[in-house]
Amino acid sequence: MQQTLRAFVAVMVPDAVAVFIRQVQAQLQLPGMNIRWVAAKNIHLTLKFLGDMDPSRVPEVAAQMDAAAGTIRPFSLAAKGVGVFPNLRRARVLWVGLTGDLDRLKAIQATLESGLESVGFRREPRDFGAHLTIGRIRERTDAKMIGASMDQLKDTASDGFHVDRLVLFKSILKPNGPEYSLLHTSHLAI
């Protein structure tokens, strides 16, 4: 049996944004809501989930990351607002949205997606939606209660942060949450 690794390409968020997200999580923790919160140290913006792959493919993924990163200059984003997937009635994932230079973010994600598709990784069928996953709802929750909590946070935003690199992470799923290990970093064009 061949060994595989679970991997994804992401943009990391700075500690100040992780602190902001922890505050949002605290405001959303209401009685009767059974949510598994993402640990602040694991908050990231996923650009491409690669799934289980052969470790020998890391260099070709790194090459596609470097190529995509070389096409875009550094840019700024901020965390803003709260939402759920798939919808309020069947909410399963809580997320914080992003604002700022979303055109550059979408451009680098599209370039990365195309490059990885050219070396055999399946294209994501859904359109890219920039978000930071902050929690997973474990059981059905009152849609009105979630909606009211989200409305209170719709204009809440973090300070801006600078995006200047892409990272490739290996993810090991553990009972107390995933553990991430850095495999490669690609710096954006200067």
Side-chain angles (χ1 to χ4, degrees):
M1 180 174 196
Q2 189 170 7
Q3 193 82 337
T4 62
L5 60 88
R6 183 177 176 88
F8 62 92
V9 179
V11 170
M12 293 306 299
V13 298
D15 290 343
V17 175
V19 168
F20 165 80
I21 288 173
R22 186 65 202 116
Q23 293 166 347
V24 168
Q25 289 171 328
Q27 290 179 290
L28 289 170
Q29 185 61 57
L30 301 171
M33 289 182 68
N34 187 358
I35 300 171
R36 181 174 184 157
W37 297 110
V38 175
K41 66 180 178 153
N42 287 343
I43 300 288
H44 62 273
L45 167 58
T46 301
L47 297 179
K48 176 68 176 173
F49 179 70
L50 301 166
D52 293 327
M53 62 179 233
D54 188 305
S56 68
R57 299 196 72 191
V58 168
E60 67 184 328
V61 171
Q64 293 304 320
M65 289 172 61
D66 291 345
T71 66
I72 301 287
R73 296 181 57 86
F75 56 95
S76 294
L77 297 173
K80 182 179 180 185
V82 179
V84 295
F85 290 135
N87 57 48
L88 273 177
R89 296 183 95 177
R90 298 181 313 148
R92 303 297 301 151
V93 174
L94 277 163
W95 51 263
V96 169
L98 293 164
T99 188
D101 199 342
L102 297 178
D103 288 340
R104 284 191 194 190
L105 176 63
K106 289 176 183 175
I108 199 167
Q109 190 279 333
T111 301
L112 180 66
E113 185 79 55
S114 293
L116 288 168
E117 183 181 35
S118 75
V119 295
F121 287 91
R122 196 177 117 250
R123 179 176 283 277
E124 176 62 43
R126 295 173 289 192
D127 289 339
F128 175 67
H131 69 279
L132 305 170
T133 298
I134 64 168
R136 300 192 189 292
I137 300 170
R138 293 180 170 171
E139 57 192 49
R140 259 204 212 282
T141 305
D142 183 352
K144 288 181 184 178
M145 184 171 61
I146 294 175
S149 297
M150 290 178 4
D151 282 347
Q152 292 176 6
L153 296 167
K154 68 182 177 190
D155 295 322
T156 303
S158 73
D159 290 337
F161 63 95
H162 196 64
V163 176
D164 64 356
R165 69 194 69 193
L166 307 179
V167 290
L168 174 63
F169 279 110
K170 172 173 76 170
S171 174
I172 299 172
L173 301 178
K174 296 191 170 188
N176 58 344
E179 181 179 288
Y180 301 144
S181 301
L182 179 67
L183 297 175
H184 180 74
T185 301
S186 297
H187 294 275
L188 272 58
I190 303 283

